[in-house]
PDB file of all heavy atoms in Angstrom:
ATOM      1  N   GLY H 696     -79.036 -52.704 -34.147  1.00 98.00           N
ATOM      2  CA  GLY H 696     -78.721 -51.282 -34.259  1.00 98.00           C
ATOM      3  C   GLY H 696     -79.331 -50.629 -35.480  1.00 98.00           C
ATOM      4  O   GLY H 696     -79.995 -51.268 -36.297  1.00 98.00           O
ATOM      5  N   ARG H 697     -79.085 -49.323 -35.549  1.00 97.00           N
ATOM      6  CA  ARG H 697     -79.581 -48.525 -36.669  1.00 97.00           C
ATOM      7  C   ARG H 697     -78.468 -47.595 -37.088  1.00 97.00           C
ATOM      8  O   ARG H 697     -77.808 -46.998 -36.227  1.00 97.00           O
ATOM      9  CB  ARG H 697     -80.774 -47.674 -36.212  1.00 97.00           C
ATOM     10  CG  ARG H 697     -81.978 -48.480 -35.763  1.00 97.00           C
ATOM     11  CD  ARG H 697     -83.126 -47.562 -35.413  1.00 97.00           C
ATOM     12  NE  ARG H 697     -82.903 -46.865 -34.161  1.00 97.00           N
ATOM     13  CZ  ARG H 697     -83.174 -45.584 -33.955  1.00 97.00           C
ATOM     14  NH1 ARG H 697     -83.645 -44.824 -34.925  1.00 97.00           N
ATOM     15  NH2 ARG H 697     -82.956 -45.039 -32.788  1.00 97.00           N
ATOM     16  N   CYS H 698     -78.250 -47.454 -38.377  1.00 97.00           N
ATOM     17  CA  CYS H 698     -77.275 -46.440 -38.791  1.00 97.00           C
ATOM     18  C   CYS H 698     -77.722 -45.724 -40.052  1.00 97.00           C
ATOM     19  O   CYS H 698     -78.489 -46.259 -40.848  1.00 97.00           O
ATOM     20  CB  CYS H 698     -75.878 -47.032 -38.922  1.00 97.00           C
ATOM     21  SG  CYS H 698     -75.523 -47.832 -40.464  1.00 97.00           S
ATOM     22  N   LEU H 699     -77.253 -44.508 -40.209  1.00 98.00           N
ATOM     23  CA  LEU H 699     -77.567 -43.717 -41.391  1.00 98.00           C
ATOM     24  C   LEU H 699     -76.476 -43.918 -42.433  1.00 98.00           C
ATOM     25  O   LEU H 699     -75.308 -44.094 -42.096  1.00 98.00           O
ATOM     26  CB  LEU H 699     -77.639 -42.230 -41.028  1.00 98.00           C
ATOM     27  CG  LEU H 699     -78.784 -41.809 -40.114  1.00 98.00           C
ATOM     28  CD1 LEU H 699     -78.615 -40.335 -39.703  1.00 98.00           C
ATOM     29  CD2 LEU H 699     -80.134 -42.016 -40.806  1.00 98.00           C
ATOM     30  N   ALA H 700     -76.865 -43.893 -43.700  1.00 98.00           N
ATOM     31  CA  ALA H 700     -75.901 -43.969 -44.791  1.00 98.00           C
ATOM     32  C   ALA H 700     -76.469 -43.173 -45.958  1.00 98.00           C
ATOM     33  O   ALA H 700     -77.637 -42.764 -45.926  1.00 98.00           O
ATOM     34  CB  ALA H 700     -75.663 -45.428 -45.187  1.00 98.00           C
ATOM     35  N   GLY H 701     -75.644 -42.952 -46.985  1.00 98.00           N
ATOM     36  CA  GLY H 701     -76.116 -42.250 -48.179  1.00 98.00           C
ATOM     37  C   GLY H 701     -76.354 -43.264 -49.291  1.00 98.00           C
ATOM     38  O   GLY H 701     -75.468 -44.048 -49.612  1.00 98.00           O
ATOM     39  N   LEU H 702     -77.546 -43.258 -49.887  1.00 98.00           N
ATOM     40  CA  LEU H 702     -77.902 -44.322 -50.833  1.00 98.00           C
ATOM     41  C   LEU H 702     -77.244 -44.138 -52.205  1.00 98.00           C
ATOM     42  O   LEU H 702     -77.284 -43.061 -52.791  1.00 98.00           O
ATOM     43  CB  LEU H 702     -79.426 -44.390 -51.010  1.00 98.00           C
ATOM     44  CG  LEU H 702     -79.903 -45.589 -51.824  1.00 98.00           C
ATOM     45  CD1 LEU H 702     -79.648 -46.896 -51.079  1.00 98.00           C
ATOM     46  CD2 LEU H 702     -81.374 -45.459 -52.171  1.00 98.00           C
ATOM     47  N   LYS H 703     -76.650 -45.242 -52.688  1.00 98.00           N
ATOM     48  CA  LYS H 703     -76.166 -45.294 -54.071  1.00 98.00           C
ATOM     49  C   LYS H 703     -76.817 -46.497 -54.718  1.00 98.00           C
ATOM     50  O   LYS H 703     -76.737 -47.597 -54.182  1.00 98.00           O
ATOM     51  CB  LYS H 703     -74.647 -45.461 -54.098  1.00 98.00           C
ATOM     52  CG  LYS H 703     -73.880 -44.170 -53.977  1.00 98.00           C
ATOM     53  CD  LYS H 703     -72.450 -44.396 -54.427  1.00 98.00           C
ATOM     54  CE  LYS H 703     -71.715 -43.088 -54.579  1.00 98.00           C
ATOM     55  NZ  LYS H 703     -70.302 -43.326 -54.896  1.00 98.00           N
ATOM     56  N   ILE H 704     -77.456 -46.274 -55.852  1.00 98.00           N
ATOM     57  CA  ILE H 704     -78.189 -47.357 -56.506  1.00 98.00           C
ATOM     58  C   ILE H 704     -77.351 -47.886 -57.661  1.00 98.00           C
ATOM     59  O   ILE H 704     -76.906 -47.118 -58.514  1.00 98.00           O
ATOM     60  CB  ILE H 704     -79.563 -46.840 -57.002  1.00 98.00           C
ATOM     61  CG1 ILE H 704     -80.351 -46.298 -55.794  1.00 98.00           C
ATOM     62  CG2 ILE H 704     -80.340 -47.941 -57.707  1.00 98.00           C
ATOM     63  CD1 ILE H 704     -81.657 -45.630 -56.147  1.00 98.00           C
ATOM     64  N   SER H 705     -77.128 -49.206 -57.677  1.00 98.00           N
ATOM     65  CA  SER H 705     -76.250 -49.743 -58.706  1.00 98.00           C
ATOM     66  C   SER H 705     -76.473 -51.242 -58.891  1.00 98.00           C
ATOM     67  O   SER H 705     -76.718 -51.970 -57.925  1.00 98.00           O
ATOM     68  CB  SER H 705     -74.785 -49.502 -58.308  1.00 98.00           C
ATOM     69  OG  SER H 705     -73.932 -50.358 -59.029  1.00 98.00           O
ATOM     70  N   GLY H 706     -76.350 -51.655 -60.135  1.00 98.00           N
ATOM     71  CA  GLY H 706     -76.444 -53.074 -60.461  1.00 98.00           C
ATOM     72  C   GLY H 706     -75.174 -53.839 -60.135  1.00 98.00           C
ATOM     73  O   GLY H 706     -75.063 -55.018 -60.470  1.00 98.00           O
ATOM     74  N   GLU H 707     -74.215 -53.196 -59.493  1.00 97.00           N
ATOM     75  CA  GLU H 707     -72.985 -53.916 -59.135  1.00 97.00           C
ATOM     76  C   GLU H 707     -73.201 -54.874 -57.964  1.00 97.00           C
ATOM     77  O   GLU H 707     -72.342 -55.703 -57.676  1.00 97.00           O
ATOM     78  CB  GLU H 707     -71.838 -52.949 -58.826  1.00 97.00           C
ATOM     79  CG  GLU H 707     -71.934 -52.311 -57.460  1.00 97.00           C
ATOM     80  CD  GLU H 707     -70.796 -51.337 -57.167  1.00 97.00           C
ATOM     81  OE1 GLU H 707     -70.695 -50.306 -57.859  1.00 97.00           O
ATOM     82  OE2 GLU H 707     -70.044 -51.614 -56.243  1.00 97.00           O
ATOM     83  N   VAL H 708     -74.334 -54.728 -57.247  1.00 98.00           N
ATOM     84  CA  VAL H 708     -74.685 -55.750 -56.248  1.00 98.00           C
ATOM     85  C   VAL H 708     -75.934 -56.472 -56.741  1.00 98.00           C
ATOM     86  O   VAL H 708     -76.728 -55.902 -57.491  1.00 98.00           O
ATOM     87  CB  VAL H 708     -74.970 -55.153 -54.841  1.00 98.00           C
ATOM     88  CG1 VAL H 708     -73.738 -54.491 -54.264  1.00 98.00           C
ATOM     89  CG2 VAL H 708     -76.147 -54.168 -54.883  1.00 98.00           C
TER      90      VAL H 708
END
Side-chain angles (χ1 to χ4, degrees):
R697 297 183 287 138
C698 84
L699 293 173
L702 188 67
K703 275 197 169 175
I704 301 174
S705 161
E707 77 181 64
V708 296

